[in-house]
Amino acid sequence: NAEYMGDSFHSVSDCNSMIKYSCFLSVNRLISGSRCYRFNNCKVLLNSTAMMSGDSGKHIVVEPPKCLRTPIHNRIPSKQLMGPGPTNPHERVLLAGSLPLLGHLHKEFFEIMNDIKEGIRYAFQTKNPCSLAVSGSGHAAMEVCLMNILEPNDVLLVAMQGIWGQRAGDLASNRLGAKLAMLETGDLGVAFTLDELEDALKKHRPTAFFVAHSESSCGFMQPLEGIGDLCHKYNCLLLVDTVASLGGAPFYADQLGCDVVYSGSQKVLGCPPGVCPITFSEKALEKYRLRSSKPHSFYFDIGELANYWKIDGFYDGAPRYHHTAPIVTMYQLRESLAILAEEGLLESWNRHRDASLLLQRGIEKLGLEMFVENSDHRLPCVNAIKIPAGIEWKPVIDYIMNLFNGD
């Protein structure tokens, strides 16, 4: 009930008390200099230069940084982001980021979360009830995927076709205690065949098979037809990374027999990074429920996340407090999914394909080559160009970034 009385204190004759030391005010503002407040009928002089933390031996030794004395607004340039991600958001997505903040347990925010669940099911083309958004970048979703499925000594078979297969293998073997088996094709940007996969499944008998649908490190897209059926034939779960392809290339989670699929918000969806769509099939959830121990991370425990997201089978009528979701970024993800739904998946897939083909023709006219030789296996969302012999790539990239003020 503090009432601000001005910058100076004129009289103390009607004060019940005068405080010259540390005082806690239930007002949401910083007190600086001399300030006078009224507590009911009591005026109190607050001199911030005399305030102490309660320990007379302590004092401020780190001064306010000079770099923080001016607002950030004039320091952020406008750039054309042409890398794998982040990408330039739609104006509606940026506007969504300026909406009023809600609490992470407010009913209005749960309504936004419901929209997001529906949008994720649409984008993945799945009817999985356990479809939600993880608070974190696409890498966080990879950890949710692996951490909830794998236990120590489980075997993970990984398609080694670029950096994301390597990263999944490292997480599984060096951090989760799983045994790693690799399916390698010998060269980046080369797809494996169903026969090669079946040989590996017979040999290693893995718990799960990890494959990146979109390997952004080399602009490669692995065909997925038939993989799900083959994995399930050998009692193996199919885990798929779609971080760089969701919304920009054809993908049908249920029809392909995928068990866990995750993506990122900052790629095709055009949302700022910080949240990532993920979906678990019933087979994947059964593996989770049969674990002999809990996942190492509470934050990434799919059961805890599913309760917060009110997923059937995990929600008991009241969401348990799990974490404070990135509320504003969730607004933006909701709007990104709404824009995708308005355009339509087929239209979005075709638009990315047509733009990629146009770019590829222009690259070839310049006498350059695409990195992935098989045009059917090129990722339309990330177009990788083969570096000509004798050319240093870094100066070329720096020149382009400076010339076009982009990435």
Side-chain angles (χ1 to χ4, degrees), residues 112-397:
I112 299 298
M113 293 168 69
N114 289 337
D115 289 354
I116 292 172
K117 287 186 288 188
E118 292 297 325
I120 288 174
R121 293 188 187 106
Y122 174 69
F124 281 135
Q125 283 297 285
T126 182
K127 295 183 179 179
N128 291 338
C130 190
S131 301
L132 50 87
V134 176
S135 300
S137 66
H139 200 293
M142 175 188 281
E143 298 206 23
V144 173
C145 167
L146 298 174
M147 190 175 297
N148 286 277
I149 295 300
L150 297 176
E151 294 188 84
N153 296 317
D154 281 347
V155 178
L156 177 68
L157 177 64
V158 176
M160 290 293 183
Q161 298 166 300
I163 187 175
W164 303 118
Q166 295 170 4
R167 185 68 56 82
D170 174 71
L171 284 171
S173 60
N174 295 327
R175 299 176 186 271
L176 299 177
K179 297 177 180 179
L180 177 63
M182 295 182 288
L183 174 60
E184 298 179 282
T185 58
D187 295 308
L188 293 177
V190 177
F192 59 82
T193 66
L194 292 180
D195 288 339
E196 290 172 329
L197 173 59
E198 184 160 23
D199 288 342
L201 292 170
K202 288 178 181 179
K203 178 180 179 180
H204 301 291
R205 298 290 172 171
T207 300
F209 173 53
F210 176 92
V211 59
H213 177 236
S214 48
E215 183 50 75
S216 58
S217 64
C218 58
F220 169 73
M221 184 167 63
Q222 170 67 44
L224 298 177
E225 287 74 12
I227 294 178
D229 291 340
L230 199 54
C231 285
H232 298 157
K233 176 182 176 181
Y234 291 92
N235 196 30
C236 171
L237 297 173
L238 175 58
L239 318 179
V240 183
D241 176 321
T242 65
V243 170
S245 58
L246 185 67
F251 184 79
Y252 304 88
D254 287 356
Q255 295 175 53
L256 290 168
C258 303
D259 292 298
V260 183
V261 188
Y262 65 87
S263 190
S265 61
Q266 74 275 19
K267 309 286 187 173
V268 177
L269 295 180
C271 173
V275 287
C276 40
I278 195 167
T279 185
F280 277 66
S281 72
E282 286 303 315
K283 288 182 180 179
L285 292 176
E286 181 181 3
K287 175 65 171 69
Y288 165 82
R289 293 188 180 100
L290 293 175
R291 293 179 61 94
S292 59
S293 61
K294 292 183 177 181
H296 293 300
S297 170
F298 173 81
Y299 190 78
F300 288 151
D301 188 319
I302 191 60
E304 298 294 337
L305 288 167
N307 171 270
Y308 176 46
W309 281 82
K310 298 185 179 182
I311 304 297
D312 290 344
F314 295 92
Y315 178 62
D316 54 9
R320 295 185 296 272
Y321 171 70
H322 181 256
H323 73 291
T324 303
I327 295 159
V328 170
T329 313
M330 289 293 186
Y331 298 167
Q332 295 177 302
L333 176 60
R334 187 269 178 200
E335 202 63 10
S336 296
L337 292 167
I339 293 169
L340 177 64
E342 290 170 13
E343 180 181 11
L345 278 173
L346 292 175
E347 290 76 9
S348 181
W349 295 341
N350 291 336
R351 175 168 55 82
H352 282 82
R353 179 203 62 201
D354 293 344
S356 178
L357 291 174
L358 181 62
L359 176 61
Q360 291 177 39
R361 288 195 293 269
I363 292 298
E364 291 167 355
K365 287 181 180 179
L366 293 174
L368 299 172
E369 300 176 62
M370 303 301 293
F371 184 83
V372 177
E373 293 183 5
N374 188 332
S375 60
D376 292 334
H377 298 165
R378 292 173 186 166
L379 177 60
C381 318
V382 181
N383 296 269
I385 303 168
K386 185 181 294 184
I387 301 172
I391 298 297
E392 291 290 334
W393 65 269
K394 186 63 166 60
V396 176
I397 296 298

Side-chain angles (χ1 to χ4, degrees), residues 1-4 25-27 37-42:
N1 297 323
E3 178 186 350
Y4 176 55
L25 294 178
S26 58
V27 291
Y37 289 83
R38 181 191 300 278
F39 290 86
N40 297 327
N41 294 321
C42 172

Side-chain angles (χ1 to χ4, degrees), residues 2-14:
E3 178 186 350
Y4 176 55
M5 300 294 292
D7 287 335
S8 61
F9 186 82
H10 300 289
S11 173
V12 296
S13 59
D14 57 345

